[in-house]
Amino acid sequence: MRPIIGITSDYNGGDRPEFGGKIATCFLRDRYVHAIETTGGIPLILPPLDLPSRSARLILDRLDGLLLTGSGPDIDPALYGERRRFRFKTIDPKRFSLERELVRYALKREMPILGICGGMQLLNVAAGGSLYQDIKNQVPKAMQHQRGGKPAHLISVKPGTLLSKVMKRDELRVNSAHHQGVKQVAAGYRVNAEAPDGVIEGIEAVGHPFVLGVQWHPEFLNPDDRSTILFKAFLKIAARYRKNETQR
Ligand code: MN
């Protein structure tokens, strides 16, 4: 059975002044949907909701895996105890609240989670970690990480990690479309990949079947072989999760 993967979507609150009074919109780049569909899953787009704490568990009951996506805006630094030090847009609180609730309960039931780019940053912040608000300004000698969807830099994959088991490589060439990154890794997580400048390119939950965050965008590279392998590994664990849930 094809596993059903909930994919979090982005949200423009139309009433916020920065959107110029436009109509509120839920949206998502099709690449995420396409990557899940072409590697064997059924994608289901999850819109931000007004009552996430009441809805999260009911939504998860119908899912086999959770894909946390990235987006243009960043997580509000107040959510990791900092004031905003640079100019950037922040994601709508509605979106963050739903994602935080989904992650909380998905972790509890050992549902597999894949966090991509901002989705990895969300995993870290939701668990109490922090972010660099701007790599260029805050990481000495950092390389350029805002380089779009094409392969841009190498990362080293730490041996013995879930990522290393999935990718079967010590080194990967990845794309890089981020200006923020993980600073303090949250308790319960560990780093599984780093760029040559020390910027964290992947984290994973310790002692969990599959909670993986990657700072790059495998859905841009798909169907290049390593990206396909990453999505297929995620879907395999999601299918196993479904089987266990059904038998319970
Ligand atoms: Mn990068």
Side-chain angles (χ1 to χ4, degrees):
M1 267 239 301
R2 286 180 158 241
I4 297 174
I5 305 300
I7 309 180
T8 57
S9 65
D10 208 352
Y11 185 73
N12 276 352
D15 51 342
R16 296 164 81 196
E18 67 235 63
F19 300 114
K22 287 181 191 150
I23 296 165
T25 310
C26 311
F27 62 101
L28 178 71
R29 287 189 183 137
D30 181 59
R31 285 176 175 133
Y32 293 108
V33 171
H34 187 73
I36 293 298
E37 192 185 12
T38 54
T39 52
I42 304 284
L44 206 60
I45 298 173
L46 308 175
L49 300 167
D50 286 323
L51 296 168
S53 56
R54 288 193 196 171
S55 321
R57 277 171 288 182
L58 290 169
I59 293 169
L60 291 174
D61 285 344
R62 270 86 175 166
L63 299 178
D64 307 323
L66 184 62
L67 173 56
L68 305 166
T69 59
S71 63
D74 299 304
I75 293 171
D76 185 345
L79 294 163
Y80 46 92
E82 294 185 12
R83 62 180 178 82
R84 199 184 313 188
R85 296 184 55 192
F86 306 96
R87 276 175 65 90
F88 49 83
K89 279 187 188 169
T90 53
I91 62 172
D92 195 282
K94 246 171 96 157
R95 176 180 175 182
F96 182 86
S97 312
L98 177 69
E99 290 185 325
R100 182 167 52 189
E101 292 298 303
L102 288 171
V103 166
R104 175 187 302 173
Y105 294 112
L107 284 169
K108 271 192 190 161
R109 52 178 90 182
E110 298 205 328
M111 177 184 282
I113 308 175
L114 177 60
I116 293 180
C117 196
M120 157 176 135
Q121 295 171 6
L122 179 119
L123 277 176
N124 190 54
V125 172
S130 66
L131 303 178
Y132 288 112
Q133 294 187 32
D134 191 66
I135 289 172
K136 232 182 325 191
N137 280 296
Q138 294 182 302
V139 181
K141 293 180 185 159
M143 59 167 76
Q144 175 60 264
H145 284 269
Q146 286 176 283
R147 291 164 68 177
K150 292 204 173 115
H153 64 71
L154 287 172
I155 58 170
S156 60
V157 179
K158 293 197 189 301
T161 59
L162 171 67
L163 185 67
S164 146
K165 223 168 85 186
V166 168
M167 303 302 255
K168 300 184 175 65
R169 293 279 190 280
D170 306 328
E171 240 179 20
L172 294 167
R173 182 163 285 280
V174 298
N175 53 21
S176 195
H178 59 112
H179 82 102
Q180 297 199 332
V182 167
K183 185 163 70 179
Q184 183 73 45
V185 181
Y189 283 81
R190 67 177 171 203
V191 176
N192 56 26
E194 267 179 18
D197 57 7
V199 165
I200 293 171
E201 292 279 339
I203 60 168
E204 60 192 46
V206 181
H208 193 291
F210 196 107
V211 175
L212 190 61
V214 296
Q215 185 56 73
W216 72 96
H217 283 274
E219 84 287 3
F220 275 50
L221 301 172
N222 193 274
D224 119 292
D225 66 333
R226 289 300 116 181
S227 300
T228 304
I229 279 169
L230 180 59
F231 285 110
K232 283 192 170 164
F234 171 49
L235 294 175
K236 192 173 156 189
I237 305 295
R240 197 173 78 191
Y241 170 85
R242 170 52 44 202
K243 212 170 141 206
N244 292 341
E245 284 295 295
T246 312
Q247 285 167 356
R248 193 172 286 172

